Amino acid sequence: MTKDHAIIGFRQDRIGARLICLLNVMRLSRKFGVPGRYLWLSEPEGPYPELADPRDFLAPDFVAAHIDIVARPPGRTGLRNLPAVAPGMNSAGFARSLAEGRRYECDAMSEIIRFMDETEADAAEGLRAAAAELALSPRLTRALARARRILAQAGGGQPAAIHVRRGDILDGDPWSYSSWASKYVPDEFFRAFVARAEGPVIAFSDTPAAVEHLRQGDPRLVPVHELLKAGALSAAERDLLELLLMAGCAEVGAPSHSAFSRAAAMIGHCRIVALPAALQAGPRLAAYDALLDRVIARPDSFFAPGDLAQSVSYAARHAASCGRGGELVDALAGRRDLLERFPFLYRELALAAWSARRRQKARRLAQQGLDAPLMRNRDKPQCRQVLLVTGEQGPELEADFLGMLFTGRAAEGPIMPALAHRLIRGGGPAARALCYAPDLLPSHAQPDPENGKGRLLPLWTLRIDWSEFVRDPGPQRELLLWPDLWRKIAPGAEKLQQIEAALARGESPGLDERDAAWLGFCASVLRLHGRLNRAFALLHWLDAARPAQMLTHKRLADACFAAGNRKAGDRWLGSALALAPDQPMLRLSAALRAAEAQDGARAEAHLQAARAAWPGLGLTETLGRALRRQMPAGAPACAAEPGATPG
């Protein structure tokens, strides 16, 4: 089914995320004149039976034009992830890629996909044009008209709203086993948002009883079900009806990744106030203090045990930043029933204990978390990080750090940036393998909010020159977008502008060591963001000014691979290897590039060389397993005789 379409969309969650993905596919397939299709997962016995058939709430003609209903997730082998690659491509490059036969899958759930030469306003307008084509079923069309009349009779002009996401996050399995800070907002922050509103605030929620608990008699907070007489509408019809009503609000206080409210903003013109980050500093801090006090002193005051558990994720970060991590640990560490039911709490309390310098307590909680039978894989990395930094210090620590840095989400959380600063400043094996220039450290290091005397090194600064190792779509997208291009190059922007102007005039400006470090780093950023001509100009000048530098040659190889010139990329990579044959990360990069070319024997030979260069580096085995999985059937086996070397 997927082979007939240049762009396919697929999500298997709720209606907001599905609509955002569908509208992105509609916009992009129309913009580039290619066939696109959204694959709607129908699972009558699954977690969302109300979404089994989109024709229950969308017009059949619209469904026939844009949607295929499928009974299982589609195969996506060979499809490039559109949200991951679009920020680093321009529209012309994407059009060329489509013309060459490349196909893409879209799984956007809360954002408008746009290319680097598209403005945010233009992309939003294109998506709203697609949204204008949404055709409702006749019954839902009538219900929407009635609901809008009721809201108009309420008066007060365009209302504000909040989206109180609860539902399966609180008690659904397995969703409630994990924390969802991007989808869940504690009551205190909603109350702070309501307090700033001048008129009534409509509360949209999948759990009306949670709104009553939040409301506490406040007349300004109006549950949407009190305004609407939905009658015999199905759950999916009510969801879509409420989404379209939310789209007509002035602003919506919502979780940062609420697909439901994002869909409303994309369809209409409501402004999303992401909670708690978008609150003013004073009310936000007061809400954090109130939440932490309630978690510690009145844990039974929450709507449900899952409400308490999700709130702890917010309270724990605040406790660490204000020196109250020990209080939180003492209040909750003994509640084994709560921790076993919501095992991500072991992670939160282990981090709180670590921030309070209670190393042994942190180790015990982290180990208990890893041993908990309901613990999700996504919540384990920070427990492993706690064990890492509270255990033996030595070469194993540096090797484990590198492995976590490039393994999915394993580096998330507050520990790894602090450890990164310490290891890079120390100049040990990890610093030497990553080739991070010491001259960059003073500009990249940031204060540690949980340790006034400590410093953090943002992990993106270490991944820039090794971005080929960032293989999962989510981390790839983050590396491109956070921070954006201009913030990445800001410390060296003035010098970069001077040098590029001089090169444009045909001059060959002078170069000192610190400038070389910054300009090489900027060239890698430009390459990552698709500014290949600028990257090549800088790198060729750097190579002429300071010849025979391994990292410059590796950067030139990366730029060639990004430009689709594999032959030149292999040549520059071979030159880098000749300059530093025992560089373990360079060997692993060469293994990855060989595997991309379906040369399994050559990839294995580079892996063997990496093992010899750093015998205890677990990243070598992790990458080796991943490369063997990606080799197609019939390709030469990823195997080599012991001691074999790449030619």
Side-chain angles (χ1 to χ4, degrees):
M1 182 177 294
T2 61
K3 68 180 184 300
D4 299 325
H5 305 291
I7 304 172
I8 68 157
F10 179 75
R11 296 287 314 178
Q12 55 188 108
D13 36 15
R14 300 170 75 134
I15 194 165
R18 295 190 191 204
L19 285 180
I20 290 174
C21 191
L22 165 64
L23 294 175
N24 272 295
V25 172
M26 290 173 62
R27 179 183 92 84
L28 294 173
S29 59
R30 178 172 302 136
K31 176 181 174 71
F32 291 97
V34 296
R37 204 77 175 160
Y38 182 82
L39 306 184
W40 188 284
L41 183 64
S42 175
E43 292 182 307
E45 305 301 322
Y48 309 115
E50 70 276 12
L51 299 179
D53 190 342
R55 291 166 297 196
D56 289 343
F57 42 87
L58 295 174
D61 289 348
F62 176 85
V63 173
H66 301 287
I67 295 172
D68 286 335
I69 301 173
V70 298
R72 61 185 59 86
R76 287 172 278 181
T77 302
L79 302 181
R80 301 185 71 187
N81 183 266
L82 194 47
V85 302
M89 299 179 73
N90 59 29
S91 299
F94 184 64
R96 284 196 303 272
S97 181
L98 291 170
E100 292 166 359
R102 286 185 177 169
R103 294 177 300 116
Y104 293 83
E105 56 106 1
C106 173
D107 60 357
M109 64 163 284
S110 61
E111 76 269 23
I112 301 175
I113 296 174
R114 63 187 177 99
F115 298 92
M116 63 186 190
D117 59 340
E118 287 188 299
T119 67
E120 188 172 348
D122 286 346
E125 187 58 36
L127 192 128
R128 288 197 182 97
E133 297 182 25
L134 276 176
L136 306 181
S137 66
R139 187 166 76 147
L140 195 54
T141 299
R142 293 191 297 270
L144 178 61
R146 286 197 304 270
R148 284 175 170 163
R149 286 196 300 269
I150 293 170
L151 288 181
Q153 292 167 6
Q158 215 177 4
I162 57 174
H163 181 213
V164 185
R165 174 76 166 86
R166 295 291 186 262
D168 50 7
I169 288 177
L170 298 189
D171 55 16
D173 300 336
W175 315 110
S176 61
Y177 300 153
S178 193
S179 65
W180 299 96
S182 63
K183 298 177 181 291
Y184 170 93
V185 172
D187 290 357
E188 279 75 3
F189 302 113
F190 282 126
R191 293 193 186 109
F193 175 83
V194 172
R196 65 197 273 280
E198 295 182 358
V201 177
I202 302 173
F204 295 83
S205 180
D206 52 4
T207 310
V211 174
E212 292 300 329
H213 183 270
L214 164 65
R215 191 180 190 182
Q216 294 186 346
D218 188 341
R220 290 173 298 178
L221 193 57
V222 182
V224 69
H225 67 82
E226 291 186 1
L227 296 175
L228 308 179
K229 305 300 181 184
L233 292 179
S234 70
E237 287 175 315
R238 287 196 302 273
D239 283 348
L240 186 52
L241 174 65
E242 291 184 9
L243 187 150
L244 295 172
L245 292 173
M246 184 185 287
C249 293
E251 61 178 12
V252 181
S256 61
H257 283 66
S258 163
F260 191 87
S261 55
R262 294 283 171 188
M266 292 176 189
I267 292 171
H269 293 274
C270 60
R271 184 174 71 90
I272 301 299
V273 180
L275 300 177
L279 293 171
Q280 291 186 341
R284 183 175 67 246
L285 180 59
Y288 266 116
D289 286 338
L291 176 63
L292 179 57
D293 289 341
R294 185 158 70 106
V295 166
I296 292 173
R298 296 183 292 118
D300 295 334
S301 68
F302 287 81
F303 169 68
D307 187 28
L308 167 63
Q310 296 293 331
S311 293
V312 169
S313 289
Y314 284 86
R317 290 193 293 273
H318 182 58
S321 67
C322 66
R324 298 180 64 187
E327 286 184 62
L328 185 66
V329 171
D330 292 339
L332 296 180
R335 296 192 56 174
R336 291 297 295 273
D337 57 336
L338 183 71
L339 272 59
E340 290 294 317
R341 174 61 182 81
F342 304 102
F344 65 90
L345 292 178
Y346 282 116
R347 177 198 66 193
E348 303 294 358
L349 296 181
L351 292 171
W354 175 73
S355 73
R357 294 179 172 77
R358 294 167 62 174
R359 294 171 60 90
Q360 292 308 311
K361 187 68 170 179
R363 284 188 66 81
R364 284 195 297 274
L365 287 163
Q367 190 60 61
Q368 288 171 343
L370 294 175
D371 294 339
L374 300 182
M375 189 72 153
R376 304 288 93 182
N377 286 335
R378 70 191 295 268
D379 296 312
K380 291 179 180 179
Q382 291 179 47
C383 288
R384 295 192 180 103
Q385 292 173 29
V386 169
L387 295 179
L388 180 68
V389 296
T390 58
E392 295 295 326
Q393 310 294 299
E396 296 83 3
L397 172 68
E398 307 231 6
D400 288 344
F401 168 79
L402 271 187
M404 288 183 171
L405 182 64
F406 293 109
T407 305
R409 302 282 187 180
E412 287 185 339
I415 289 178
M416 291 292 281
L419 181 59
H421 184 269
R422 190 178 101 203
L423 296 182
I424 295 300
R425 187 182 58 185
R432 293 194 296 273
L434 291 168
C435 303
Y436 180 86
D439 286 332
L440 306 181
L441 190 58
S443 296
H444 281 152
Q446 300 174 356
D448 185 348
E450 297 182 10
N451 179 1
K453 298 180 181 178
R455 304 286 284 175
L456 306 176
L457 181 61
L459 300 182
W460 68 266
T461 63
L462 303 179
R463 292 171 172 149
I464 284 289
D465 277 311
W466 308 97
S467 59
E468 66 270 30
F469 291 89
V470 182
R471 303 174 64 77
D472 293 340
Q476 284 178 344
R477 189 158 59 243
E478 290 172 10
L479 185 59
L480 272 170
L481 299 178
W482 297 291
D484 60 23
L485 167 64
W486 309 115
R487 289 183 177 86
K488 285 186 179 88
I489 64 175
E494 184 177 353
K495 190 66 178 181
L496 175 64
Q497 185 178 24
Q498 294 172 1
I499 294 298
E500 288 188 313
L503 294 177
R505 294 191 297 268
E507 300 172 3
S508 183
L511 183 66
D512 61 30
E513 189 73 21
R514 186 177 187 281
D515 287 344
W518 267 113
L519 293 167
F521 183 85
C522 288
S524 287
V525 173
L526 292 170
R527 181 265 310 162
L528 179 72
H529 285 266
R531 274 62 169 184
L532 296 180
N533 288 338
R534 295 173 66 188
F536 276 123
L538 271 178
L539 290 169
H540 283 302
W541 167 69
L542 283 168
D543 187 46
R546 299 177 74 247
Q549 299 296 309
M550 180 277 288
L551 190 54
T552 301
H553 288 203
K554 197 267 181 186
R555 286 166 169 163
L556 278 161
D558 291 339
C560 290
F561 287 123
N565 189 343
R566 179 165 293 277
K567 184 175 180 180
D570 286 336
R571 186 171 64 250
W572 281 111
L573 187 55
S575 177
L577 283 165
L579 292 168
D582 296 326
Q583 220 286 357
M585 290 294 291
L586 191 61
R587 285 291 182 183
L588 293 179
S589 180
L592 190 153
R593 300 300 188 185
E596 289 175 350
Q598 309 304 317
D599 190 342
R602 187 175 178 83
E604 185 63 31
H606 283 300
L607 290 171
Q608 293 280 22
R611 292 184 189 100
W614 191 341
L617 183 60
L619 180 61
T620 302
E621 307 312 320
T622 300
L623 184 65
R625 289 191 295 271
L627 296 185
R628 293 182 190 101
R629 285 195 299 269
Q630 81 177 41
M631 297 296 291
C638 268
E641 293 298 322
T645 56

